[in-house]
Amino acid sequence: VTERVARLGTGAQRVLLAAAVLAEPADERTVGVVSGLPGGECPAAHPVVESAVAEAVRSGLLVEDDAGRVAFRHSLAARAVYDQAPAPERRAAHRRAAVALEKARPRPVGRLARHFRQAGEIARWREYAEQAADVALAALSAASCRAGRRGSHAAVSQRSCAPPSTRPSTVSESE
């Protein structure tokens, strides 16, 4: 993989690192932003980014889906590209990924936490990690409520699904 990457132009190499950092299919604009290529911030397609993405796809390392999003064909190739990149380049790409993803609605808080952590921005990582934990707990609570209405955990479910002001108190909640 590293030999194939070395034969590519600098732009395509930056696109590959961006795709490895994103770790999921992404549109050309997002890949352009994360790559840091000139024109990556443009709202419309930019020839430098288009050319670099096309070269990376032609290499066979990236594939394009029906929606026009690109991703690595194999996760091990993505890992090889990621591991081969110098740490400062990886951190910068994670920072650009986080900034780009902050514009998404709803915000992908789990992904944002990961990118800010890898970028070394601990305060921002903590902020998004806490939000991701809240989202996970809310999803778990909702799932427990649905399951509790059907299953044997009705008492627990009724207590945890009730609004906070009407929940029966327990020893652990009153401590």
Side-chain angles (χ1 to χ4, degrees):
V1 171
T2 55
E3 289 176 12
R4 287 172 71 184
V5 172
R7 289 192 298 261
L8 299 174
T10 304
Q13 290 177 11
R14 290 174 71 172
V15 162
L16 290 173
L17 177 58
V21 163
L22 288 165
E24 0 186 307
D27 59 53
E28 188 174 281
R29 184 184 180 296
T30 303
V31 171
V33 168
V34 176
S35 72
L37 286 170
E41 291 289 333
C42 293
H46 193 277
V48 172
V49 174
E50 284 180 342
S51 174
V53 169
E55 183 180 359
V57 170
R58 278 193 312 273
S59 76
L61 293 168
L62 292 187
V63 293
E64 189 171 0
D65 66 15
D66 293 337
R69 298 173 305 171
V70 295
F72 270 88
R73 182 178 303 275
H74 300 289
S75 61
L76 291 177
R79 191 69 209 189
V81 168
Y82 186 86
D83 289 346
Q84 194 69 25
E89 287 181 30
R90 289 193 311 257
R91 281 192 299 274
H94 278 290
R95 190 172 296 107
R96 289 189 297 267
V99 169
L101 291 173
E102 276 187 310
K103 297 172 185 165
R105 295 293 180 264
R107 285 188 172 153
V109 292
R111 291 177 66 197
L112 284 163
R114 181 177 75 86
H115 289 302
F116 278 119
R117 172 70 177 100
Q118 295 301 322
E121 295 189 23
I122 303 306
R124 306 280 300 276
W125 162 65
R126 188 180 69 230
E127 173 189 339
Y128 284 112
E130 288 172 357
Q131 289 179 33
D134 290 343
V135 168
L137 287 173
L140 177 63
S141 177
S144 295
C145 289
R146 286 190 302 273
R149 289 185 191 111
R150 295 185 305 265
S152 62
H153 303 292
V156 172
S157 180
Q158 288 171 353
R159 183 180 69 244
S160 62
C161 296
S165 61
T166 62
R167 285 185 193 154
S169 62
T170 64
V171 173
S172 63
E173 288 178 339
S174 62
E175 291 180 346

